[in-house]
mmCIF file of all heavy atoms in Angstrom:
data_model
loop_
_atom_site.group_PDB
_atom_site.id
_atom_site.type_symbol
_atom_site.label_atom_id
_atom_site.label_comp_id
_atom_site.label_asym_id
_atom_site.label_seq_id
_atom_site.Cartn_x
_atom_site.Cartn_y
_atom_site.Cartn_z
ATOM 1 N N PRO A 88 93.099 112.819 104.027
ATOM 2 C CA PRO A 88 93.069 111.368 104.249
ATOM 3 C C PRO A 88 93.601 110.567 103.083
ATOM 4 O O PRO A 88 94.216 109.503 103.285
ATOM 5 C CB PRO A 88 91.580 111.095 104.514
ATOM 6 C CG PRO A 88 91.046 112.373 105.099
ATOM 7 C CD PRO A 88 91.791 113.441 104.371
ATOM 8 N N ARG A 89 93.392 111.025 101.833
ATOM 9 C CA ARG A 89 93.809 110.226 100.692
ATOM 10 C C ARG A 89 95.318 110.056 100.612
ATOM 11 O O ARG A 89 95.817 109.156 99.931
ATOM 12 C CB ARG A 89 93.260 110.825 99.395
ATOM 13 C CG ARG A 89 93.821 112.173 99.012
ATOM 14 C CD ARG A 89 93.396 112.529 97.565
ATOM 15 N NE ARG A 89 93.878 113.825 97.160
ATOM 16 C CZ ARG A 89 93.112 114.910 97.024
ATOM 17 N NH1 ARG A 89 91.803 114.827 97.272
ATOM 18 N NH2 ARG A 89 93.622 116.056 96.623
ATOM 19 N N GLU A 90 96.084 110.929 101.314
ATOM 20 C CA GLU A 90 97.536 110.762 101.356
ATOM 21 C C GLU A 90 97.927 109.436 102.012
ATOM 22 O O GLU A 90 99.011 108.899 101.765
ATOM 23 C CB GLU A 90 98.182 111.913 102.112
ATOM 24 C CG GLU A 90 98.018 113.280 101.457
ATOM 25 C CD GLU A 90 98.595 114.395 102.313
ATOM 26 O OE1 GLU A 90 99.238 114.095 103.351
ATOM 27 O OE2 GLU A 90 98.389 115.572 101.972
ATOM 28 N N LEU A 91 97.026 108.908 102.863
ATOM 29 C CA LEU A 91 97.318 107.671 103.566
ATOM 30 C C LEU A 91 97.369 106.473 102.635
ATOM 31 O O LEU A 91 97.989 105.457 102.958
ATOM 32 C CB LEU A 91 96.277 107.435 104.670
ATOM 33 C CG LEU A 91 96.224 108.464 105.779
ATOM 34 C CD1 LEU A 91 95.012 108.210 106.677
ATOM 35 C CD2 LEU A 91 97.506 108.455 106.590
ATOM 36 N N PHE A 92 96.721 106.560 101.495
ATOM 37 C CA PHE A 92 96.693 105.427 100.567
ATOM 38 C C PHE A 92 98.104 105.045 100.155
ATOM 39 O O PHE A 92 98.521 103.882 100.271
ATOM 40 C CB PHE A 92 95.852 105.765 99.344
ATOM 41 C CG PHE A 92 95.739 104.632 98.358
ATOM 42 C CD1 PHE A 92 94.840 103.606 98.568
ATOM 43 C CD2 PHE A 92 96.536 104.593 97.220
ATOM 44 C CE1 PHE A 92 94.734 102.541 97.675
ATOM 45 C CE2 PHE A 92 96.441 103.552 96.321
ATOM 46 C CZ PHE A 92 95.543 102.532 96.540
ATOM 47 N N SER A 93 98.890 106.024 99.684
ATOM 48 C CA SER A 93 100.259 105.710 99.260
ATOM 49 C C SER A 93 101.148 105.378 100.458
ATOM 50 O O SER A 93 102.100 104.610 100.316
ATOM 51 C CB SER A 93 100.861 106.902 98.490
ATOM 52 O OG SER A 93 100.869 108.076 99.272
ATOM 53 N N THR A 94 100.830 105.928 101.628
ATOM 54 C CA THR A 94 101.594 105.591 102.832
ATOM 55 C C THR A 94 101.533 104.102 103.110
ATOM 56 O O THR A 94 102.563 103.439 103.341
ATOM 57 C CB THR A 94 101.072 106.356 104.047
ATOM 58 O OG1 THR A 94 101.263 107.756 103.852
ATOM 59 C CG2 THR A 94 101.773 105.929 105.329
ATOM 60 N N TRP A 95 100.320 103.529 103.063
ATOM 61 C CA TRP A 95 100.165 102.123 103.397
ATOM 62 C C TRP A 95 100.483 101.205 102.218
ATOM 63 O O TRP A 95 100.775 100.025 102.432
ATOM 64 C CB TRP A 95 98.766 101.867 103.954
ATOM 65 C CG TRP A 95 98.543 102.657 105.209
ATOM 66 C CD1 TRP A 95 97.573 103.578 105.445
ATOM 67 C CD2 TRP A 95 99.346 102.617 106.410
ATOM 68 N NE1 TRP A 95 97.701 104.116 106.696
ATOM 69 C CE2 TRP A 95 98.783 103.548 107.297
ATOM 70 C CE3 TRP A 95 100.476 101.890 106.787
ATOM 71 C CZ2 TRP A 95 99.328 103.774 108.570
ATOM 72 C CZ3 TRP A 95 101.015 102.116 108.051
ATOM 73 C CH2 TRP A 95 100.440 103.031 108.915
ATOM 74 N N VAL A 96 100.494 101.740 101.011
ATOM 75 C CA VAL A 96 101.055 100.963 99.889
ATOM 76 C C VAL A 96 102.554 100.788 100.127
ATOM 77 O O VAL A 96 103.076 99.669 100.089
ATOM 78 C CB VAL A 96 100.815 101.674 98.546
ATOM 79 C CG1 VAL A 96 101.687 101.057 97.448
ATOM 80 C CG2 VAL A 96 99.351 101.574 98.135
ATOM 81 N N ALA A 97 103.238 101.897 100.395
ATOM 82 C CA ALA A 97 104.697 101.849 100.577
ATOM 83 C C ALA A 97 105.092 100.987 101.767
ATOM 84 O O ALA A 97 106.146 100.345 101.759
ATOM 85 C CB ALA A 97 105.240 103.275 100.762
ATOM 86 N N ALA A 98 104.252 100.950 102.798
ATOM 87 C CA ALA A 98 104.568 100.183 104.001
ATOM 88 C C ALA A 98 104.567 98.692 103.761
ATOM 89 O O ALA A 98 104.976 97.911 104.638
ATOM 90 C CB ALA A 98 103.570 100.528 105.109
ATOM 91 N N ASN A 99 104.142 98.265 102.562
ATOM 92 C CA ASN A 99 104.015 96.833 102.293
ATOM 93 C C ASN A 99 104.806 96.358 101.080
ATOM 94 O O ASN A 99 104.699 95.199 100.690
ATOM 95 C CB ASN A 99 102.558 96.465 102.107
ATOM 96 C CG ASN A 99 101.786 96.472 103.424
ATOM 97 O OD1 ASN A 99 101.819 95.513 104.192
ATOM 98 N ND2 ASN A 99 101.090 97.575 103.696
ATOM 99 N N ILE A 100 105.607 97.227 100.481
ATOM 100 C CA ILE A 100 106.364 96.816 99.303
ATOM 101 C C ILE A 100 107.583 96.032 99.770
ATOM 102 O O ILE A 100 108.684 96.551 99.930
ATOM 103 C CB ILE A 100 106.780 98.047 98.456
ATOM 104 C CG1 ILE A 100 105.545 98.822 98.025
ATOM 105 C CG2 ILE A 100 107.567 97.592 97.227
ATOM 106 C CD1 ILE A 100 105.864 100.105 97.257
ATOM 107 N N SER A 101 107.368 94.757 100.020
ATOM 108 C CA SER A 101 108.420 93.874 100.542
ATOM 109 C C SER A 101 108.394 92.532 99.830
ATOM 110 O O SER A 101 107.307 91.906 99.752
ATOM 111 C CB SER A 101 108.240 93.667 102.044
ATOM 112 O OG SER A 101 109.084 92.651 102.534
ATOM 113 N N VAL A 102 109.526 92.074 99.356
ATOM 114 C CA VAL A 102 109.595 90.785 98.689
ATOM 115 C C VAL A 102 109.338 89.636 99.675
ATOM 116 O O VAL A 102 109.071 88.503 99.250
ATOM 117 C CB VAL A 102 110.966 90.566 98.001
ATOM 118 C CG1 VAL A 102 111.147 91.575 96.876
ATOM 119 C CG2 VAL A 102 112.101 90.681 99.001
ATOM 120 N N LEU A 103 109.397 89.924 100.943
ATOM 121 C CA LEU A 103 109.116 88.879 101.949
ATOM 122 C C LEU A 103 107.683 88.401 101.837
ATOM 123 O O LEU A 103 107.361 87.270 102.242
ATOM 124 C CB LEU A 103 109.416 89.391 103.352
ATOM 125 C CG LEU A 103 110.896 89.692 103.637
ATOM 126 C CD1 LEU A 103 111.057 90.276 105.029
ATOM 127 C CD2 LEU A 103 111.749 88.431 103.491
ATOM 128 N N LEU A 104 106.784 89.228 101.289
ATOM 129 C CA LEU A 104 105.410 88.784 101.069
ATOM 130 C C LEU A 104 105.361 87.650 100.036
ATOM 131 O O LEU A 104 104.520 86.756 100.118
ATOM 132 C CB LEU A 104 104.541 89.961 100.616
ATOM 133 C CG LEU A 104 104.161 90.971 101.698
ATOM 134 C CD1 LEU A 104 103.496 92.195 101.057
ATOM 135 C CD2 LEU A 104 103.238 90.343 102.739
ATOM 136 N N LEU A 105 106.280 87.706 99.046
ATOM 137 C CA LEU A 105 106.361 86.610 98.080
ATOM 138 C C LEU A 105 106.747 85.315 98.776
ATOM 139 O O LEU A 105 106.190 84.256 98.502
ATOM 140 C CB LEU A 105 107.379 86.946 96.986
ATOM 141 C CG LEU A 105 107.086 88.168 96.101
ATOM 142 C CD1 LEU A 105 108.252 88.424 95.177
ATOM 143 C CD2 LEU A 105 105.814 87.975 95.301
ATOM 144 N N THR A 106 107.706 85.407 99.679
ATOM 145 C CA THR A 106 108.171 84.234 100.393
ATOM 146 C C THR A 106 107.049 83.695 101.291
ATOM 147 O O THR A 106 106.877 82.482 101.408
ATOM 148 C CB THR A 106 109.390 84.601 101.257
ATOM 149 O OG1 THR A 106 110.403 85.146 100.410
ATOM 150 C CG2 THR A 106 109.944 83.382 101.955
ATOM 151 N N MET A 107 106.304 84.591 101.913
ATOM 152 C CA MET A 107 105.203 84.152 102.765
ATOM 153 C C MET A 107 104.116 83.469 101.937
ATOM 154 O O MET A 107 103.536 82.466 102.357
ATOM 155 C CB MET A 107 104.645 85.339 103.537
ATOM 156 C CG MET A 107 105.643 85.950 104.528
ATOM 157 S SD MET A 107 105.027 87.432 105.345
ATOM 158 C CE MET A 107 103.924 86.691 106.547
ATOM 159 N N GLY A 108 103.839 83.995 100.764
ATOM 160 C CA GLY A 108 102.875 83.363 99.871
ATOM 161 C C GLY A 108 103.329 81.974 99.445
ATOM 162 O O GLY A 108 102.535 81.027 99.380
ATOM 163 N N ALA A 109 104.630 81.854 99.174
ATOM 164 C CA ALA A 109 105.181 80.544 98.806
ATOM 165 C C ALA A 109 105.058 79.560 99.973
ATOM 166 O O ALA A 109 104.765 78.379 99.782
ATOM 167 C CB ALA A 109 106.646 80.688 98.382
ATOM 168 N N GLY A 110 105.274 80.062 101.181
ATOM 169 C CA GLY A 110 105.158 79.230 102.351
ATOM 170 C C GLY A 110 103.754 78.678 102.561
ATOM 171 O O GLY A 110 103.577 77.557 103.045
ATOM 172 N N LEU A 111 102.746 79.469 102.190
ATOM 173 C CA LEU A 111 101.356 78.990 102.314
ATOM 174 C C LEU A 111 101.105 77.771 101.442
ATOM 175 O O LEU A 111 100.310 76.892 101.802
ATOM 176 C CB LEU A 111 100.389 80.132 101.926
ATOM 177 C CG LEU A 111 100.361 81.343 102.832
ATOM 178 C CD1 LEU A 111 99.437 82.419 102.243
ATOM 179 C CD2 LEU A 111 99.905 80.984 104.238
#
C-alpha cells in the first residue's frame, strides 16, 4: 500500500494548481 503514496504525489505535480490557487 505504501507505494500508493508516491503514485498520488506524482498525479498532482502540476503548475496548474498554482494558477488555481491564484484564481481563488
